[in-house]
Amino acid sequence: MDRRKFLASTGLAAGSLLMNPVNSSAARRSRGKKRKMALVGTGIRGVNMFGRDLLRQYGEYVELVGLCDINPGRLRYADGYIGANCPTFTDLEEMIRKQKPEVIIVTSEDSSHHTVIIKAMEMGCDIITEKPLTIDEDKAQEILDAQKRTGREIIVTFNYRYPPYRAKMKQLINDGLIGDINTVEFHWNIDHSHLTRYMQRWHGYKDHGGTLWVHKSTHHFDMVNWFLDSEPKEVFAYASLDRYGKNGNFRGENCRNCAHTAKCPYYWDINKNPHLKALYADNEHHDGYIRDNCVFREDIDIYEHHSAVVKYMNGTVLNYSLTGDTDYEGYWIAFNGTKGRLEARIEGYPQKDYAEITFTPIDRYTDDKPRIFRVDYTRSGHWGGDVLMMDKLFKDPDMPDPLRQQATLRDGVMSILTGVAARQSAESGKSVQIKDLTTLKPQAKVG
């Protein structure tokens, strides 16, 4: 069964049985019993973070009652690897009907998120979904409409909000340290090794992942929206593909079946990783998904270089870039306000156990001197953010959230709309208004 047939198998195209809206928050936060959850999508993120790790660390609070994927071989491996000992399904409706989960965790391919989310909500489930929420404005509108019909709850797992040093930056901004923010500079670099993995997978196609403007940058745009407590108004962008795809001088079937491995700088042997081999390579005959595709295949239609200017509803301007054609991994972000500049740099993966945030006052000749804030730093779990996000999601959903770190449907939509607008602008040469994309109109102040 291919991915498009899977979408049809959910029954969405044949009509939907709408469930009466219920108090989703009450269902999600019921105490004294494990919450029944099911996982849709048994790729690497699904079987690890929301599978095996979930049960090991939160098994006291959560019961996985079903696993769903279009690939029966991957399902068999995922079941054993996760250790859930629960039924597996290739049909979403059948799983929900038989297992009656309260919450569906969505970790399937980005292009299928909207179909899974909508069907699950219509069948009475709340949603926890991996980023991005979806890949374009039409699918986002379908989700908005379905949520309005059903009254279900959607949480988007933006773990980039949770690292302690980012929470510190958010608190300093909220406390008014730098005053009113005029501009933001945000530059993220992905090294060749990192970008190669995107180019090898389904992420290399616009209609599967929305390009990195959506799949990757949704994290970054959400961070800025969250830091500013405002939403984007207008986007102008450039993008290009200069190294990978059709730019290559040679190409093969995939890395395992290629005559050019000796001279290709991006050659990768998936069979040397037993986990990835068992999860993907051993099961590709079921659905045709190749995990180690040639990075020079001519139909790649995403970008390596991304530059955008984003005007916010509150007047702030973001200058953003995402660069994939580099051997440098890291980023820096800076906020320029009426009282000074707040800046953080994460260069590669530093070995030191703290991150530094620098405040420079607007006038260095005043009594307000530059300051450096040091915050505990860990490389693992997305800079320490994963465990904090997972605690809130699964251990204690009612814990206070003073910084508004848990992301809502609105947050998920607004983050992808910036990427969608950037993609449209780069392809049309014109600026794009966010208000023209969906019925969800951007606001100058949120939170």
Side-chain angles (χ1 to χ4, degrees):
M1 182 184 295
D2 64 23
R3 295 182 183 274
R4 298 191 186 280
K5 289 180 180 177
F6 168 68
L7 301 186
S9 76
T10 63
L12 187 64
S16 302
L17 175 64
L18 297 182
M19 307 295 288
N20 292 328
V22 300
N23 187 335
S24 60
S25 295
R28 192 174 63 83
R29 294 183 171 87
S30 58
R31 292 187 177 276
K33 65 183 183 72
K34 292 184 180 182
R35 283 179 293 153
K36 297 171 64 176
M37 299 189 176
L39 178 69
V40 179
T42 56
I44 193 72
R45 180 60 61 86
V47 301
N48 287 333
M49 184 172 179
F50 291 104
R52 194 173 188 175
D53 294 348
L54 176 65
L55 289 188
R56 285 180 173 181
Q57 299 168 23
Y58 302 95
E60 180 181 352
Y61 310 98
V62 171
E63 178 186 6
L64 271 182
V65 299
L67 303 177
C68 184
D69 198 291
I70 64 171
N71 189 309
R74 194 158 57 236
L75 270 174
R76 282 192 295 272
Y77 174 76
D79 185 32
Y81 180 83
I82 294 171
N85 297 316
C86 64
T88 60
F89 301 84
T90 57
D91 185 282
L92 175 64
E93 278 194 74
E94 181 186 8
M95 181 181 72
I96 296 176
R97 195 167 54 247
K98 289 183 176 179
Q99 300 305 109
K100 297 179 172 55
E102 300 169 74
V103 180
I104 295 293
I105 302 172
V106 183
T107 59
S108 58
E109 181 185 292
D110 295 353
S111 65
S112 69
H113 282 192
H114 72 296
T115 307
V116 176
I117 290 169
I118 292 168
K119 174 53 62 179
M121 287 195 299
E122 290 175 340
M123 295 186 71
C125 302
D126 290 328
I127 305 296
I128 295 173
T129 182
E130 254 296 300
K131 64 79 194 168
L133 174 71
T134 186
I135 65 170
D136 63 43
E137 70 276 25
D138 294 331
K139 295 177 178 61
Q141 186 64 60
E142 290 180 38
I143 294 173
L144 288 167
D145 293 342
Q147 193 280 329
K148 186 176 181 180
R149 290 197 306 269
T150 64
R152 306 311 306 187
E153 183 173 26
I154 301 177
I155 296 172
V156 184
T157 56
F158 280 125
N159 49 5
Y160 276 28
R161 293 184 177 201
Y162 284 86
Y165 70 93
R166 291 192 187 133
K168 181 65 174 181
M169 291 187 74
K170 173 67 170 172
Q171 189 63 64
L172 293 172
I173 291 170
N174 285 359
D175 290 345
L177 177 67
I178 58 174
D180 297 329
I181 298 173
N182 298 315
T183 62
V184 181
E185 303 159 41
F186 195 179
H187 307 289
W188 197 288
N189 297 278
I190 303 173
D191 66 22
H192 288 121
S193 176
H194 191 166
L195 185 65
T196 294
R197 297 297 171 259
Y198 288 123
M199 294 297 177
Q200 289 176 318
R201 304 182 305 219
W202 51 259
H203 304 81
Y205 301 114
K206 184 190 307 184
D207 63 349
H208 288 259
T211 76
L212 295 183
W213 277 124
V214 175
H215 177 81
K216 182 65 176 177
S217 296
T218 188
H219 265 316
H220 311 153
F221 296 138
D222 176 71
M223 281 172 58
V224 178
N225 296 352
W226 174 62
F227 279 128
L228 296 179
D229 280 330
S230 188
E231 293 174 339
K233 177 182 180 180
E234 183 179 6
V235 181
F236 185 83
Y238 294 100
S240 63
L241 177 68
D242 303 310
R243 178 182 291 268
Y244 295 87
K246 61 185 178 182
N247 299 294
N249 294 322
F250 54 83
R251 50 192 50 85
E253 181 181 347
N254 55 48
C255 277
R256 283 164 292 157
N257 303 285
C258 182
H260 309 286
T261 57
K263 62 180 179 179
C264 181
Y266 308 116
Y267 170 65
W268 172 60
D269 188 354
I270 190 174
N271 291 323
K272 288 185 177 180
N273 186 316
H275 180 41
L276 294 181
K277 179 179 182 297
L279 191 61
Y280 295 108
D282 291 349
N283 295 302
E284 60 192 23
H285 60 284
H286 290 292
D287 61 1
Y289 173 47
I290 308 299
R291 187 62 153 66
D292 62 339
N293 273 307
C294 179
V295 300
F296 297 127
R297 60 195 187 281
E298 295 189 358
D299 56 350
I300 289 176
D301 59 358
I302 68 170
Y303 311 105
E304 301 152 356
H305 303 108
H306 314 72
S307 298
V309 178
V310 183
K311 181 68 175 292
Y312 274 77
M313 292 293 292
N314 67 358
T316 303
V317 174
L318 163 67
N319 289 283
Y320 171 83
S321 68
L322 173 66
T323 302
D325 187 7
T326 176
D327 283 321
Y328 173 82
E329 181 92 13
Y331 75 94
W332 62 272
I333 186 168
F335 300 86
N336 299 297
T338 54
K339 295 181 181 179
R341 175 182 174 92
L342 194 67
E343 181 174 357
R345 291 177 179 262
I346 302 296
E347 300 178 345
Y349 293 106
Q351 298 304 309
K352 57 189 178 183
D353 58 1
Y354 61 85
E356 291 187 344
I357 304 167
T358 303
F359 167 69
T360 305
I362 196 72
D363 185 348
R364 296 189 183 191
Y365 298 99
T366 67
D367 292 334
D368 195 2
K369 303 298 183 183
R371 283 181 271 171
I372 295 177
F373 302 89
R374 287 185 174 177
V375 183
D376 289 345
Y377 177 91
T378 179
R379 174 177 175 171
S380 64
H382 289 98
W383 311 282
D386 285 351
V387 66
L388 299 175
M389 181 187 74
M390 299 283 275
D391 280 353
K392 171 68 173 171
L393 282 171
F394 303 114
K395 184 178 180 179
D396 185 7
D398 292 321
M399 72 168 58
D401 189 13
L403 296 180
R404 204 175 61 82
Q405 288 169 289
Q406 188 167 90
T408 65
L409 171 59
R410 184 180 187 95
D411 298 322
V413 172
M414 280 299 163
S415 71
I416 70 124
L417 290 186
T418 308
V420 168
R423 186 179 68 212
Q424 291 183 1
S425 176
E427 293 172 355
S428 69
K430 301 176 182 179
S431 64
V432 177
Q433 300 290 323
I434 298 295
K435 66 179 178 61
D436 295 335
L437 298 177
T438 68
T439 57
L440 192 66
K441 303 310 177 188
Q443 298 177 348
K445 178 67 176 177
V446 294

